[in-house]
């Protein structure tokens, strides 16, 4: 509880780009408590200037984690710290579009929205493939409505990509 509250306070009082705070928060990403990890990830997103390689590398490592929660924290952090059009980041987001976990797919789509500035055929093809896959996985019952945050995020992203 104290670690969580201290991490939350750092998020509120630390100035943007404060390297010692960012270092401590990066260590908190390894905490056993999900609440502390999530708060640390959120604080790093807010305090880290875009392009900070140390934070970006930490988020990339989290995104590769098998744990859904850790992957989502990593993907969310990458979208805020990566430079626009960073190919290595785009590739990680594209890989996560194939996840079975909907929250991972949503984080990947939102990440692509944030880092993409120019039309990209590869990204568009991946999003269209995702939509087709979602459509074919719908239940056969005609009156059932498939409501999905991932599908909604993809549909919103397509005009921009």
């Amino acid at each position: 509880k104290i670690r969580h509250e201290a991490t939350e306070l750092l998020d509120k009082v630390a100035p943007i780009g404060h390297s010692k705070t960012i270092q401590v928060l990066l260590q908190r990403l390894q905490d056993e408590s999900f609440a502390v990890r999530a708060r640390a990830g959120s604080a790093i997103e807010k305090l880290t200037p875009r392009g900070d390689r140390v934070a970006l590398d930490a988020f990339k490592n989290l995104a590769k984690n098998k744990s859904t929660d850790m992957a989502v924290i990593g993907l969310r952090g990458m979208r805020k710290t990566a430079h626009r059009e960073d190919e290595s980041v785009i590739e990680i987001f594209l890989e996560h579009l194939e996840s079975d976990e909907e929250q991972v797919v949503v984080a990947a789509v939102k990440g692509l929205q944030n880092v993409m500035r120019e039309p990209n055929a590869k990204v568009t093809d991946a999003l269209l493939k995702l939509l087709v896959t979602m459509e074919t996985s719908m239940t056969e019952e005609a009156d059932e409505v498939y409501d999905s945050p991932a599908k909604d995020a993809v549909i919103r992203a397509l005009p921009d990509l």
Side-chain angles (χ1 to χ4, degrees):
K1 177 115 175 127
I2 292 172
R3 289 188 320 272
H4 181 266
E5 289 180 12
T7 304
E8 190 170 337
L9 184 59
L10 277 175
D11 181 17
K12 292 178 181 174
V13 300
I16 292 175
H18 190 257
S19 62
K20 286 184 181 181
T21 301
I22 294 168
Q23 288 173 347
V24 168
L25 292 170
L26 286 169
Q27 292 170 357
R28 290 281 160 241
L29 290 175
Q30 304 306 318
D31 197 277
E32 72 245 9
S33 163
F34 172 73
V36 171
R37 290 191 310 264
R39 173 54 70 189
S42 176
I44 293 168
E45 290 174 33
K46 182 178 133 193
L47 298 174
T48 305
R50 188 170 292 281
D52 182 296
R53 293 307 310 177
V54 174
L56 182 58
D57 288 344
F59 283 131
K60 284 180 178 180
N61 287 335
L62 283 177
K64 294 174 186 173
N65 196 298
K66 298 287 184 220
S67 159
T68 299
D69 295 333
M70 296 293 275
V72 169
I73 291 169
L75 293 169
R76 289 185 63 211
M78 284 173 33
R79 83 172 191 232
K80 299 285 179 108
T81 56
H83 282 297
R84 307 277 190 234
E85 304 294 328
D86 181 324
E87 285 297 321
S88 67
V89 170
I90 292 169
E91 286 300 320
I92 293 170
F93 285 135
L94 288 173
E95 289 170 17
H96 282 81
L97 289 179
E98 297 179 16
S99 173
D100 293 334
E101 297 294 332
E102 189 164 359
Q103 56 191 129
V104 172
V105 174
V106 170
V109 169
K110 289 181 177 182
L112 285 168
Q113 280 182 291
N114 209 308
V115 299
M116 299 299 301
R117 288 295 165 241
E118 300 295 323
N120 183 307
K122 184 177 180 180
V123 172
T124 301
D125 289 346
L127 291 172
L128 289 171
K129 178 182 172 188
L130 177 64
L131 277 176
V132 169
T133 302
M134 291 173 142
E135 290 298 326
T136 58
S137 69
M138 289 173 56
T139 311
E140 296 299 322
E141 297 175 33
D143 59 348
E144 183 173 329
V145 176
Y146 185 74
D147 187 23
S148 162
K151 182 178 175 184
D152 293 343
V154 171
I155 291 170
R156 283 192 306 273
L158 276 173
D160 297 334
L161 304 174

